[in-house]
Short mmCIF file of all heavy atoms in Angstrom, two decimals:
data_model
loop_
_atom_site.label_atom_id
_atom_site.label_comp_id
_atom_site.label_asym_id
_atom_site.label_seq_id
_atom_site.Cartn_x
_atom_site.Cartn_y
_atom_site.Cartn_z
N VAL A 180 104.08 85.46 120.20
CA VAL A 180 104.86 85.99 121.29
C VAL A 180 105.80 87.07 120.74
O VAL A 180 106.28 86.96 119.62
CB VAL A 180 105.60 84.84 122.02
CG1 VAL A 180 106.45 84.03 121.09
CG2 VAL A 180 106.42 85.31 123.18
N VAL A 181 106.02 88.11 121.53
CA VAL A 181 106.91 89.21 121.12
C VAL A 181 108.20 89.07 121.92
O VAL A 181 108.16 88.85 123.15
CB VAL A 181 106.26 90.57 121.44
CG1 VAL A 181 107.22 91.72 121.10
CG2 VAL A 181 104.95 90.74 120.69
N GLY A 182 109.36 89.19 121.27
CA GLY A 182 110.65 89.14 121.96
C GLY A 182 111.27 90.53 122.02
O GLY A 182 111.23 91.27 121.04
N LEU A 183 111.81 90.88 123.19
CA LEU A 183 112.49 92.17 123.34
C LEU A 183 113.99 91.91 123.30
O LEU A 183 114.56 91.37 124.25
CB LEU A 183 112.11 92.82 124.67
CG LEU A 183 110.61 92.98 124.95
CD1 LEU A 183 110.39 93.56 126.34
CD2 LEU A 183 109.96 93.87 123.90
N THR A 189 109.74 97.72 126.84
CA THR A 189 108.37 98.06 126.46
C THR A 189 108.24 99.57 126.21
O THR A 189 107.30 100.01 125.56
CB THR A 189 107.38 97.64 127.55
OG1 THR A 189 107.88 98.10 128.80
CG2 THR A 189 107.20 96.15 127.60
N VAL A 202 108.85 80.63 121.09
CA VAL A 202 110.08 81.29 121.54
C VAL A 202 111.37 80.77 120.88
O VAL A 202 112.28 81.55 120.62
CB VAL A 202 110.18 81.22 123.08
CG1 VAL A 202 111.44 81.89 123.58
CG2 VAL A 202 108.95 81.85 123.72
N PHE A 205 113.45 82.80 118.26
CA PHE A 205 114.36 83.94 118.51
C PHE A 205 115.08 83.82 119.84
O PHE A 205 115.70 84.78 120.29
CB PHE A 205 113.60 85.28 118.42
CG PHE A 205 112.43 85.41 119.37
CD1 PHE A 205 112.62 85.47 120.74
CD2 PHE A 205 111.13 85.49 118.87
CE1 PHE A 205 111.54 85.60 121.62
CE2 PHE A 205 110.05 85.61 119.74
CZ PHE A 205 110.26 85.67 121.12
N ARG A 206 115.04 82.64 120.49
CA ARG A 206 115.58 82.52 121.85
C ARG A 206 117.05 82.93 121.94
O ARG A 206 117.50 83.46 122.96
CB ARG A 206 115.37 81.09 122.36
CG ARG A 206 116.04 80.78 123.71
CD ARG A 206 115.45 81.61 124.83
NE ARG A 206 116.20 81.45 126.06
CZ ARG A 206 117.24 82.22 126.41
NH1 ARG A 206 117.66 83.19 125.61
NH2 ARG A 206 117.85 82.01 127.55
N THR A 209 117.21 86.73 122.66
CA THR A 209 116.65 87.32 123.89
C THR A 209 115.92 86.27 124.73
O THR A 209 115.46 85.26 124.21
CB THR A 209 115.66 88.45 123.57
OG1 THR A 209 115.22 89.02 124.81
CG2 THR A 209 114.45 87.98 122.78
N ASP A 210 115.88 86.55 126.04
CA ASP A 210 115.06 85.70 126.92
C ASP A 210 113.88 86.49 127.47
O ASP A 210 113.18 86.03 128.35
CB ASP A 210 115.91 85.12 128.06
CG ASP A 210 116.50 86.20 128.97
OD1 ASP A 210 116.32 87.40 128.66
OD2 ASP A 210 117.13 85.84 129.97
N ARG A 211 113.67 87.72 126.95
CA ARG A 211 112.57 88.55 127.48
C ARG A 211 111.41 88.56 126.48
O ARG A 211 111.60 88.92 125.31
CB ARG A 211 113.06 89.99 127.72
CG ARG A 211 114.08 90.07 128.87
CD ARG A 211 114.62 91.47 129.02
NE ARG A 211 115.29 91.93 127.81
CZ ARG A 211 115.09 93.12 127.26
NH1 ARG A 211 114.26 93.98 127.79
NH2 ARG A 211 115.74 93.46 126.17
N VAL A 212 110.24 88.14 126.96
CA VAL A 212 109.11 88.00 126.03
C VAL A 212 107.83 88.59 126.60
O VAL A 212 107.67 88.71 127.82
CB VAL A 212 108.85 86.51 125.67
CG1 VAL A 212 110.06 85.87 125.06
CG2 VAL A 212 108.38 85.72 126.88
N ILE A 213 106.94 88.89 125.67
CA ILE A 213 105.59 89.34 126.03
C ILE A 213 104.62 88.43 125.27
O ILE A 213 104.78 88.23 124.06
CB ILE A 213 105.38 90.80 125.58
CG1 ILE A 213 106.15 91.73 126.50
CG2 ILE A 213 103.91 91.17 125.56
CD1 ILE A 213 106.18 93.16 126.01
N TYR A 214 103.65 87.87 125.98
CA TYR A 214 102.67 87.02 125.31
C TYR A 214 101.46 87.86 124.93
O TYR A 214 100.86 88.51 125.78
CB TYR A 214 102.23 85.88 126.23
CG TYR A 214 103.37 84.96 126.60
CD1 TYR A 214 103.97 85.03 127.86
CD2 TYR A 214 103.87 84.05 125.67
CE1 TYR A 214 105.03 84.19 128.18
CE2 TYR A 214 104.93 83.22 125.99
CZ TYR A 214 105.50 83.30 127.25
OH TYR A 214 106.56 82.47 127.57
N LEU A 215 101.13 87.84 123.64
CA LEU A 215 99.92 88.55 123.22
C LEU A 215 98.69 87.71 123.54
O LEU A 215 98.72 86.48 123.43
CB LEU A 215 99.96 88.84 121.73
CG LEU A 215 101.02 89.84 121.25
CD1 LEU A 215 100.83 90.13 119.76
CD2 LEU A 215 100.97 91.14 122.04
N GLU A 216 97.62 88.38 123.91
CA GLU A 216 96.35 87.69 124.20
C GLU A 216 95.42 87.82 123.00
O GLU A 216 95.62 88.69 122.14
CB GLU A 216 95.65 88.35 125.40
CG GLU A 216 96.45 88.40 126.67
CD GLU A 216 96.57 87.04 127.33
OE1 GLU A 216 95.79 86.13 126.98
OE2 GLU A 216 97.45 86.89 128.19
N SER A 238 99.44 97.91 128.92
CA SER A 238 100.76 97.74 129.50
C SER A 238 100.94 96.23 129.74
O SER A 238 100.12 95.59 130.40
CB SER A 238 100.80 98.54 130.79
OG SER A 238 101.56 97.92 131.74
N LYS A 239 101.99 95.65 129.16
CA LYS A 239 102.13 94.18 129.17
C LYS A 239 103.27 93.75 130.07
O LYS A 239 104.32 94.40 130.14
CB LYS A 239 102.42 93.67 127.75
CG LYS A 239 101.34 93.97 126.75
CD LYS A 239 100.10 93.15 126.95
CE LYS A 239 100.30 91.70 126.61
NZ LYS A 239 99.07 90.91 126.83
N GLU A 240 103.06 92.60 130.72
CA GLU A 240 104.10 92.05 131.59
C GLU A 240 105.21 91.41 130.74
O GLU A 240 104.93 90.73 129.74
CB GLU A 240 103.46 90.98 132.48
CG GLU A 240 104.39 90.47 133.56
CD GLU A 240 103.75 89.36 134.40
OE1 GLU A 240 102.51 89.19 134.29
OE2 GLU A 240 104.48 88.71 135.12
N VAL A 241 106.45 91.62 131.14
CA VAL A 241 107.59 91.00 130.45
C VAL A 241 107.97 89.73 131.23
O VAL A 241 108.20 89.78 132.43
CB VAL A 241 108.80 91.95 130.36
CG1 VAL A 241 109.97 91.28 129.66
CG2 VAL A 241 108.40 93.24 129.64
N HIS A 242 108.01 88.59 130.53
CA HIS A 242 108.38 87.32 131.16
C HIS A 242 109.81 86.94 130.77
O HIS A 242 110.28 87.29 129.69
CB HIS A 242 107.44 86.20 130.68
CG HIS A 242 106.01 86.43 131.02
ND1 HIS A 242 105.39 85.86 132.11
CD2 HIS A 242 105.07 87.21 130.42
CE1 HIS A 242 104.13 86.26 132.16
NE2 HIS A 242 103.90 87.07 131.15
N THR A 243 110.47 86.19 131.65
CA THR A 243 111.83 85.73 131.34
C THR A 243 111.79 84.23 131.04
O THR A 243 111.24 83.45 131.82
CB THR A 243 112.77 85.99 132.53
OG1 THR A 243 112.70 87.37 132.84
CG2 THR A 243 114.21 85.62 132.20
N ILE A 244 112.38 83.85 129.91
CA ILE A 244 112.43 82.43 129.54
C ILE A 244 113.56 81.75 130.31
O ILE A 244 114.68 82.26 130.34
CB ILE A 244 112.68 82.29 128.01
CG1 ILE A 244 111.56 82.94 127.23
CG2 ILE A 244 112.85 80.83 127.60
CD1 ILE A 244 110.20 82.33 127.44
N GLU A 245 113.26 80.58 130.88
CA GLU A 245 114.27 79.99 131.77
C GLU A 245 115.15 78.95 131.11
O GLU A 245 116.09 78.48 131.71
CB GLU A 245 113.58 79.41 133.00
CG GLU A 245 113.27 80.54 133.98
CD GLU A 245 112.37 80.13 135.11
OE1 GLU A 245 112.14 78.93 135.27
OE2 GLU A 245 111.91 81.04 135.82
N VAL A 378 105.01 77.38 129.40
CA VAL A 378 104.69 78.55 130.21
C VAL A 378 104.23 79.67 129.27
O VAL A 378 104.85 79.91 128.24
CB VAL A 378 105.93 79.03 130.99
CG1 VAL A 378 105.61 80.27 131.82
CG2 VAL A 378 106.46 77.91 131.87
N GLY A 379 103.13 80.31 129.61
CA GLY A 379 102.65 81.41 128.79
C GLY A 379 101.79 80.97 127.62
O GLY A 379 101.30 81.79 126.85
N SER A 380 101.58 79.64 127.47
CA SER A 380 100.73 79.16 126.37
C SER A 380 99.29 79.58 126.63
O SER A 380 98.93 80.00 127.73
CB SER A 380 100.83 77.64 126.26
OG SER A 380 100.41 77.06 127.48
N ASP A 383 97.73 77.78 129.52
CA ASP A 383 98.28 78.28 130.78
C ASP A 383 97.53 79.55 131.19
O ASP A 383 97.15 79.72 132.34
CB ASP A 383 99.78 78.57 130.56
CG ASP A 383 100.47 79.10 131.81
OD1 ASP A 383 99.88 79.02 132.89
OD2 ASP A 383 101.59 79.60 131.68
N ARG A 384 97.30 80.41 130.21
CA ARG A 384 96.69 81.70 130.56
C ARG A 384 95.18 81.60 130.75
O ARG A 384 94.61 82.33 131.54
CB ARG A 384 97.06 82.74 129.49
CG ARG A 384 98.52 83.18 129.70
CD ARG A 384 99.03 84.10 128.63
NE ARG A 384 99.24 83.36 127.40
CZ ARG A 384 98.71 83.66 126.25
NH1 ARG A 384 97.94 84.71 126.13
NH2 ARG A 384 98.95 82.95 125.18
N TYR A 391 102.91 72.92 135.72
CA TYR A 391 103.93 72.81 134.67
C TYR A 391 104.66 71.49 134.81
O TYR A 391 104.99 71.06 135.91
CB TYR A 391 104.95 73.96 134.78
CG TYR A 391 104.33 75.33 134.62
CD1 TYR A 391 104.37 76.26 135.65
CD2 TYR A 391 103.70 75.68 133.44
CE1 TYR A 391 103.80 77.51 135.51
CE2 TYR A 391 103.12 76.92 133.28
CZ TYR A 391 103.17 77.84 134.33
OH TYR A 391 102.61 79.07 134.18
#
Side-chain angles (χ1 to χ4, degrees):
V180 56
V181 177
L183 306 176
T189 48
V202 180
F205 58 67
R206 173 64 188 90
T209 183
D210 62 356
R211 293 176 300 133
V212 302
I213 286 171
Y214 297 104
L215 293 186
E216 302 287 343
S238 145
K239 299 288 290 180
E240 188 183 347
V241 179
H242 299 262
T243 304
I244 299 298
E245 281 169 11
V378 179
S380 59
D383 180 13
R384 284 174 288 125
Y391 299 118

